Amino acid sequence: MYNAEVETPRNDASYGLYMQGDGEGNFKTLMPYESGIYSVGEVRHIKKINISNKSSYIFAINNNTPIVISKN
């Protein structure tokens, strides 16, 4: 199941892109092996949470189990 607008073709050829901001409007792109973020599927929402005083992120993936990624 690949959702897209009528005018937009299907986009399923990438693992996504993490862009690390410096707080001044500049961004650096990081590959999954650099960022530690890798998810398979259509990510619908990402929410930042704290688990044991560590920043963590819940990835809601369409038609799949959510995944949790924690910063080291």
Side-chain angles (χ1 to χ4, degrees):
M1 181 174 200
Y2 296 91
N3 297 322
E5 296 83 23
V6 175
E7 67 278 359
T8 307
R10 192 170 109 179
N11 300 310
D12 66 337
S14 176
Y15 296 110
L17 178 68
Y18 177 77
M19 298 175 66
Q20 183 179 32
D22 66 4
E24 296 184 13
N26 303 303
F27 294 89
K28 175 184 175 185
T29 58
L30 299 175
M31 298 297 292
Y33 65 87
E34 296 172 302
S35 68
I37 298 173
Y38 176 84
S39 65
V40 176
E42 188 174 346
V43 176
R44 296 306 226 157
H45 190 75
I46 302 170
K47 178 74 175 176
K48 182 178 179 181
I49 61 172
N50 289 315
I51 299 174
S52 299
N53 295 322
K54 267 174 53 171
S55 293
S56 300
Y57 299 86
I58 297 177
F59 288 69
I61 301 171
N62 197 34
N63 297 325
N64 207 337
T65 304
I67 60 172
V68 177
I69 298 175
S70 297
K71 292 174 85 174
N72 293 333

